[in-house]
Amino acid sequence: MEYITLKNSDLRVSRICLGTWLFGGRRWGKVNTTESLATIRYALDSGINFYDTADAYGEGIAEDLLGRVLAVERKNVILATKTGVVWRKDGTRYIDLSPSHIHEAVRKSLQRLKMDYIDLYQLHEMDPGTPVEETGSALLKLIEEGLVRYIGVSNYDCTSLDRLKAIVPVLTVQSEYNLLKREIEADLLLRCLESGLSVLAYSPLQRGLLTGKFTVSSVFSEDDNRFYDEEFQGKRLLQNLEKIENLKALSRKLGKSPSQVAIRWLLDSDGIDVVICGARRPEQLTENIGAADWKLPEDSFRFLSEVFCS
């Protein structure tokens, strides 16, 4: 396993992080508790020491599952969670980063995780309804109280990131980034490189599309996130599948799977410190871990960058 120290911190983390959105169940099907716990234990045994979750994943389910396994390994793991997304009973959601919500949310997260501090506490999304000064003040108080060590953001644009950075020392930026989703290259990734912020890339396989296992005939139910993903629809899907054929051909040449090559491309990209990989079962995690401890040849890296550039 590859490790890196996040910039401006003492957090030494595995470059492949176990993401736990799938454990939450919402729009990912029914949660299999036994498989989820086995996946977390397998991650530990495989050298993964970095875990990313959120209080919104199953409204606490994912945090609870992590706590069951990781609490006894507290000194050996780095735990990141997020707050801000709140689900209503009708299935809709809103963003709340008010001081009252933050102070209540962090304590509930700690209770579910069975821990007394969080290594990296992240704002899940921007909250247009709360002044950034109030959010920042609440975060600083959590650091003072020893409940949180470092602060990160997720799904933030450059403007909102800059405003928060003026108040709080932001350590990490989490953003969707993969061969098919490269919007952050235009501004956010450059801003992080200039500012010395560590970038955590999530959705490295575009919800499974970059595994190469889907076709134009693939069908998803309405309780599956891929049902709503434009990358899986119409002309966009056809274009993506054409590009993925190039990925599959290169993977065969390298003796790797498409998933491993797609994740490796991220690990070899400038500014990407960590790739957050979701997995339901140990065997899926085995596939992801196969992206570590090797490098893409330079010509292969350039080839993929060009094929997926538009």
Side-chain angles (χ1 to χ4, degrees):
M1 180 55 63
E2 298 173 40
Y3 299 89
I4 192 170
T5 300
L6 299 182
K7 300 178 184 75
N8 303 308
S9 81
D10 59 358
L11 300 182
R12 183 75 174 169
V13 302
S14 51
R15 295 196 68 202
I16 291 181
C17 168
L18 179 62
T20 61
W21 186 16
L22 297 174
F23 296 170
R26 190 184 293 270
R27 287 189 178 173
W28 286 115
K30 187 177 180 180
V31 178
N32 185 315
T33 299
T34 301
E35 285 187 342
S36 298
L37 294 173
T39 301
I40 299 168
R41 293 190 183 98
Y42 183 77
L44 274 171
D45 293 340
S46 302
I48 292 177
N49 75 337
F50 194 20
Y51 299 83
D52 178 76
T53 189
D55 55 15
Y57 296 168
E59 296 171 271
I61 290 175
E63 288 183 330
D64 177 73
L65 290 169
L66 283 174
R68 294 194 208 181
V69 179
L70 300 184
V72 296
E73 296 282 346
R74 188 64 186 97
K75 294 181 180 180
N76 302 317
V77 299
I78 305 298
L79 196 288
T81 191
K82 299 181 283 292
T83 194
V85 173
V86 184
W87 292 99
R88 299 184 180 92
K89 291 182 178 180
D90 64 1
T92 60
R93 64 175 207 160
Y94 62 97
I95 308 301
D96 187 353
L97 291 177
S98 63
S100 59
H101 175 79
I102 288 174
H103 286 297
E104 180 181 8
V106 74
R107 285 164 174 79
K108 288 182 177 179
S109 288
L110 287 168
Q111 184 177 20
R112 287 188 289 263
L113 292 164
K114 302 175 180 62
M115 300 176 182
D116 55 10
Y117 69 92
I118 293 166
D119 296 290
L120 179 63
Y121 200 50
Q122 304 162 103
L123 306 182
H124 207 151
E125 292 185 19
M126 296 171 284
D127 176 8
T130 301
V132 67
E133 293 79 11
E134 293 183 11
T135 298
S137 177
L139 295 173
L140 290 173
K141 187 169 179 58
L142 295 185
I143 295 174
E144 292 171 5
E145 293 175 347
L147 301 179
V148 168
R149 295 198 63 210
Y150 296 100
I151 300 298
V153 298
S154 176
N155 303 305
Y156 265 51
D157 59 25
C158 287
T159 300
S160 298
L161 173 61
D162 289 343
R163 291 180 62 198
L164 184 66
K165 277 172 66 253
I167 304 166
V168 179
V170 176
L171 183 73
T172 61
V173 173
Q174 185 175 147
S175 183
E176 182 178 32
Y177 187 44
N178 58 55
L179 281 166
L180 290 168
K181 289 283 190 178
R182 297 172 60 182
E183 290 84 354
I184 69 169
E185 292 177 356
D187 49 19
L188 186 61
L189 186 55
L190 293 174
R191 182 65 55 85
C192 291
L193 282 166
E194 294 168 355
S195 304
L197 300 178
S198 289
V199 177
L200 318 179
Y202 75 80
S203 194
L205 300 176
Q206 190 55 46
R207 297 174 177 170
L209 187 54
L210 289 167
T211 64
K213 65 183 180 182
F214 296 112
T215 70
V216 290
S217 301
S218 298
V219 177
F220 304 99
S221 61
E222 291 189 28
D223 64 348
D224 189 313
N225 278 284
R226 286 166 288 209
F227 181 85
Y228 305 92
D229 190 337
E230 63 179 9
E231 302 298 337
F232 285 83
Q233 299 171 11
K235 183 179 178 181
R236 188 68 163 267
L237 175 61
L238 292 174
Q239 293 172 336
N240 289 338
L241 292 175
E242 184 176 345
K243 295 175 183 177
I244 290 168
E245 284 302 313
N246 287 282
L247 171 63
K248 291 162 72 173
L250 176 62
S251 301
R252 288 191 293 269
K253 177 181 176 182
L254 296 173
K256 302 289 183 179
S257 71
S259 299
Q260 291 164 346
V261 173
I263 295 171
R264 188 68 241 177
W265 180 85
L266 285 169
L267 290 169
D268 288 341
S269 296
D270 288 342
I272 302 302
D273 295 271
V274 172
V275 178
I276 300 173
C277 298
R280 283 183 184 275
R281 300 180 299 277
E283 55 266 31
Q284 292 177 328
L285 190 53
T286 298
E287 178 80 5
N288 296 337
I289 290 171
D293 298 311
W294 59 284
K295 277 192 170 294
L296 271 175
E298 289 187 16
D299 58 341
S300 297
F301 182 89
R302 288 195 301 270
F303 172 74
L304 289 175
S305 299
E306 292 169 2
V307 166
F308 286 88
C309 67
S310 60

